[in-house]
Amino acid sequence: MSDEPGPQDTAGSPAGTPHPEPIRFFGTTWVNHDNGYALRRAGAAVGSLAAAVASCLVLRFAYEGLQIADTGSFVTLLVIVMFAICSALAFRTTWDGFGKRLDPDRQASLRGLLAIGFVGSLLAYFFRSLTEAPGEKLHRQEYEAALREHEKRGARRTGNPAKKKRRR
């Protein structure tokens, strides 16, 4: 959250208050669910599902390539199990990332695994898009906490401290 007014004040927050952090594909429309939020959510759901289906077709071509190459059942089984496990782990990691900030070092170490399990990430994005903008709950919690903190800071500073009567 930023306390400084910026050029992208699309959420209608007054100057000096914290600004919401934009979400990919949604900007700051998630704050008030305006400016085509529902259409963006539907587009994100359809797009991620279409990408997951296309990815599964590509994986099917890879499977057929293994069959044509006659690599044997052990290698074929190994590849299928690898993609299934990596997709499950990618789904869980992506799903958890919508609700809490993940450790950047851990994310960097899982980058290869998440790349292999890209179908799981796409499916997590699809399922989350059915209920909210992916990451909206986390961003809303952080934004509301920043607003409460801003109000608390502003409430303490009422009046001119120079005109205060001194206690003796």
Side-chain angles (χ1 to χ4, degrees):
M1 295 301 117
S2 172
D3 287 334
E4 300 172 13
Q8 56 141 1
D9 193 10
T10 57
S13 56
T17 61
H19 294 281
E21 186 176 338
I23 297 176
R24 182 184 306 154
F25 305 125
F26 294 92
T28 56
T29 61
W30 60 269
V31 176
N32 298 322
H33 294 187
D34 58 356
N35 294 333
Y37 171 80
L39 188 60
R40 289 177 191 218
R41 235 182 65 204
V46 168
S48 60
L49 184 61
V53 168
S55 300
C56 287
L57 288 174
V58 170
L59 290 176
R60 168 140 184 176
F61 292 141
Y63 174 77
E64 288 176 0
L66 288 173
Q67 294 299 317
I68 291 170
D70 197 28
T71 56
S73 60
F74 177 72
V75 173
T76 304
L77 182 67
L78 196 62
V79 168
I80 290 171
V81 169
M82 176 199 61
F83 273 107
I85 290 173
C86 289
S87 291
L89 290 172
F91 180 92
R92 185 63 186 185
T93 303
T94 304
W95 190 265
D96 288 345
F98 294 141
K100 63 181 177 183
R101 296 280 178 186
L102 300 175
D103 180 29
D105 294 333
R106 183 172 184 268
Q107 284 295 100
S109 67
L110 290 176
R111 186 171 291 134
L113 183 122
L114 295 175
I116 294 170
F118 59 96
V119 175
S121 292
L122 289 170
L123 289 175
Y125 204 85
F126 166 71
F127 287 120
R128 185 53 73 126
S129 294
L130 295 176
T131 57
E132 67 176 10
E136 178 181 346
K137 182 179 179 184
L138 172 66
H139 284 78
R140 187 169 302 284
Q141 288 172 345
E142 292 174 348
Y143 178 59
E144 289 174 354
L147 283 176
R148 280 192 303 274
E149 183 64 31
H150 177 76
E151 289 172 5
K152 196 164 79 172
R153 277 188 280 143
R156 286 191 307 234
R157 298 186 214 158
T158 56
N160 185 352
K163 293 183 180 178
K164 255 186 178 178
K165 291 183 181 180
R166 304 275 175 161
R167 288 187 183 178
R168 294 183 188 209

